[in-house]
Amino acid sequence: MLGLPGRRLPSAEFLLLLPFLLLLLLPAAPAPHRAAYKPVIVVHGLFDSSYSFRHLLEYINETHPGTAVTVLDLFDGRESLRPLWEQVQGFREAVAPIMAKALQGVHLICYSQGGLVCRALLSVMDEHNVDSFISLSSPQMGQYGDTNYLKWLFPTSMRSNLYRICYSPWGQEFSICNYWHDPHHDDLYLNASSFLALINGERDHPNATAWRKNFLRLGRLVLIGGPDDGVITPWQSSFFGFYDANETVLEMEKQLVYLRDSFGLKTLLARGAIVRCPMAGISHTAWHSNRTLYETCIEPWLS
């Protein structure tokens, strides 16, 4: 067969490759859809600000790219000494719009004093949609120890007599006193505590049943702390352990709030929704910047 004058016919090899070349010109198939990570809300602790969590923000962005992370910038510095119920109201107004937009739920990472603020939020918010509440070195059963914070705030008091201040109406105007838990003056604590005794369900109040129901909307409770914290006293308070009257630490399962299931702790454990992640060698101010801690105790729960 003769070709056209001045033109060459395509070679056989080219004709064999032509279907594959045409495939290259077709539009690429869309990438498989990956479910977005749930938004993360971070609540700081005493004398902190959002800047303290820059490393944590970096870790989340690196391991879970695209995650919407909000480090709430409320009650910073000395403002964190404001009464905790006042702080709960402020944080509630800040988190509600975030939750409303997150149809699949949110995660809370709450550090130190902020862990108590978040637990109160879980109690008072009827329609919260928190999947994981990560309590990062927080005195969940209260604080009973001399720290630099206390020495600065109450320079003439020691832990043995601080109850005289904290269990007064004046003392309850300071956030630290809202969770001061003196095991030698339990009756005074139960009568005077305007915050911790209420969210623990240790004192009767008209909202107790509703608060327990709200708390149990929680998907998972992750408790993080360790023996080298140096601030939370006893450090087991991060895991709902605390002193008895002899200052012997009783673990969570031996606490009355657990045995009575006063706010839902026993129910959460029974459904397998409590994760305990103790870690040694981390001081109190390093929890939110320790990469190993993040990878071990936080990142697995940020779905």
Side-chain angles (χ1 to χ4, degrees), residues 93-171:
E93 293 172 2
V95 304
I98 301 173
M99 291 181 179
K101 294 177 182 178
L103 300 182
Q104 301 304 313
V106 302
H107 300 303
L108 289 180
I109 301 177
C110 309
Y111 167 63
S112 194
Q113 177 177 280
L116 291 169
V117 171
C118 288
R119 185 150 69 88
L121 286 173
L122 294 174
S123 298
V124 302
M125 297 186 73
D126 296 336
E127 301 298 329
H128 79 75
N129 58 353
V130 177
D131 184 5
S132 293
F133 165 33
I134 300 173
S135 173
L136 187 56
S137 188
S138 175
Q140 292 292 350
M141 276 298 288
Q143 171 79 4
Y144 184 66
D146 291 319
T147 66
N148 289 333
Y149 299 137
L150 287 175
K151 291 174 183 176
W152 175 81
L153 187 60
F154 306 116
T156 62
S157 298
M158 299 174 59
R159 74 171 189 170
S160 60
N161 60 23
L162 190 58
Y163 75 93
R164 299 178 187 275
I165 296 175
C166 279
Y167 297 156
S168 70
W170 175 80

Side-chain angles (χ1 to χ4, degrees), residues 139-249:
Q140 292 292 350
M141 276 298 288
Q143 171 79 4
Y144 184 66
D146 291 319
T147 66
N148 289 333
Y149 299 137
L150 287 175
K151 291 174 183 176
W152 175 81
L153 187 60
F154 306 116
T156 62
S157 298
M158 299 174 59
R159 74 171 189 170
S160 60
N161 60 23
L162 190 58
Y163 75 93
R164 299 178 187 275
I165 296 175
C166 279
Y167 297 156
S168 70
W170 175 80
Q172 287 293 301
E173 292 298 312
F174 293 90
S175 64
I176 294 176
C177 288
N178 291 158
Y179 51 93
W180 186 253
H181 191 173
D182 189 328
H184 305 292
H185 298 91
D186 207 47
D187 288 344
L188 288 175
Y189 158 74
L190 291 174
N191 289 323
S193 174
S194 63
F195 183 83
L196 185 61
L198 295 180
I199 66 171
N200 277 355
E202 295 173 286
R203 193 168 83 221
D204 291 337
H205 60 92
N207 298 313
T209 300
W211 286 8
R212 184 179 183 278
K213 181 181 178 181
N214 293 341
F215 182 75
L216 287 173
R217 291 175 60 88
L218 177 64
R220 181 185 300 106
L221 172 60
V222 181
L223 301 172
I224 302 171
D228 301 306
D229 180 273
V231 172
I232 305 302
T233 311
W235 67 269
Q236 293 93 337
S237 181
S238 295
F239 300 93
F240 287 98
F242 205 71
Y243 294 128
D244 64 10
N246 297 315
E247 294 193 31
T248 300
V249 175

